Amino acid sequence: MLHACNRRMNPFKPTAGGEPPLLIGRERVIRDFDKGLDNGVGAPGRIMLITGARGTGKTVMLTVLGDKARAHKWDVIEETASDGLCERLVNELRSKEGLIDKLTIAPSISFAGTGVSLGEAELSPKRMPETLRKAMSARLDVLEKHDAGLMISIDETQAASRADLIAIATAIQHQIRERRNVAIVFAGLPQMISDLFDDEVITFLRRARTNVLADVPISDVKKAFAQTFEDSGMSIDNELLDKAAVSTAGYPYMIQLVGYYIWDAADSRDSTMICEEDVSEGIREAHVDLDNAVCIPELHGLSKNDRAYLEAMAVSDGPSETSEIAKRMGRSAKYAATYRKRLLDAYVIQQTDRGEVDFAVPFLREYLRRRL
Ligand SMILES: Nc1ncnc2c1ncn2[C@@H]1O[C@H](COP(=O)(O)OP(=O)(O)OP(=O)(O)O)[C@@H](O)[C@H]1O
Ligand SMILES: [Mg+2]
C-alpha cells in the first residue's frame, strides 16, 4: 500500500485532447491569440482557424486558448461540430444566468394547429442565424457591463454543416461590425479551410488568422523530453534522449506515446534511471499504440484501390507527384485522380505546397511499408 502511494505519476499524456506536460512549439499561436485579446475589438487574433492532421494538437490548442480567454475573465463556450451545433450554442448562450428567454423555454406556447412551440420555431434552420445572433448579443450585453468578452471555440469544424457554419459566421460578423468583445476559434482537419474559403457566404472567414499545426522540431522534442523526465525524477543520458526524440518524427501524439512508454518501462523496473532497453521497449510499445489509434483507423473503410494508391505513394520517402503515382499503379492519370480525390476527402492524404500529395499523418508510410 505504502509503495503504491509513493509511486510517481507518469507525466506524459498520450490521449486525445490530453494536455501534454509541455506544449512544444506552439508559442506563436498562443501569443497571437493573447495579443488579440489585449489589443481590443478588431484585433486579427480574435478570429482564428487552426488546422492540422489528426493528432497534431488542435483540441489541446483550443483548451489552452480557452484558458487564456478565461484568464482575461472572458466567458468561454467550447463546442464540437456535429448535428445541432447551433442549437447547442444558443442554449449555452442563454443558459447563463439572467438570460433565459421565457418564451423559448415555455413549450406550451404553440402556433395554432401546428403543434410547434415558439422555441422550436426559433431554433428552426431558417431562423437560426437570427436566433444565434440575438443570443450572442444578449450574452455580450451582460458581459460587457463587466468589461468581459465572449470566446467561442468549435472543434472538428470539418464535420459542421454548411447551414451551421453560415449561421455562426453571420452572427460573429455582426458582433464584429457592432464592435463587440468577441473571439472565435475554429479547429479542424486541413480540408476545412478549402470548404470554408470556397464558400461565397462565409467570405469574412478569409480574413481570419490561419495556423497550421505541423510537426514540431526534433531539437525541441529533445529539450522537452529532457525537462519532463527530469521534473518527474527520471534521469536519461544524452544519446538516449536523441534516440527517443528522433523516433517521434516531431509528431505530437507520438511524442506523448514515446515519452509515456519509456517512462513506464523504467518505472516498472522500479528505477529512476532510464536505460537503453527502456528506450527501445518504449518506442516499440508506442508504435503498437500508434498503429491502433492512428494508422488502422485512417485506413479503415478504404477500398482495395484506395489502398493501392497509398501503397504506390509509400514507395517515395517524401511527397509524390500525381502522374508518378499513376505510373506506379500502371493506370491512367484520370483513374489515379479519382482515388486522389477520394483520399483527400477522407483526410488520409494532403496536398503539399507544390501540388504533390503526401500522407496526412506521418508513420502511415512506414506502416504500409511494413505490411507490404
Ligand atoms: N504541442 C504539443 N507538444 C507535445 N504534445 C502535444 C502537443 N500538442 C498535442 N500534443 C499531444 O498530442 C496528442 C494529440 O493532441 P490532440 O488530441 O489535441 O490532437 P488533435 O489534433 O485534436 O487530434 P484529432 O484530429 O485526432 O482530434 C495528445 O496526446 C497531446 O497531449
Ligand atoms: Mg481533436
Side-chain angles (χ1 to χ4, degrees), residues 44 120 156 168 175 191 255 267 285 325 365:
E120 282 171 43
E156 303 281 351
I168 295 168
Q175 307 309 332
Q191 190 69 16
I255 297 169
D267 188 56
E285 296 235 18
I325 299 166
R365 176 187 342 266

Side-chain angles (χ1 to χ4, degrees), residues 159-189:
S161 72
R162 180 166 181 264
D164 276 347
L165 282 178
I166 290 174
I168 295 168
T170 20
I172 291 283
Q173 189 167 21
H174 178 88
Q175 307 309 332
I176 288 170
R177 207 182 303 131
E178 304 260 288
R179 309 199 56 75
R180 312 299 302 261
N181 244 336
V182 70
I184 188 152
V185 187
F186 296 93
L189 295 170

Side-chain angles (χ1 to χ4, degrees), residues 16-17 54-55 57-60 155-156 187:
R54 290 257 168 240
K58 301 177 293 296
T59 301
V60 164
D155 203 0
E156 303 281 351

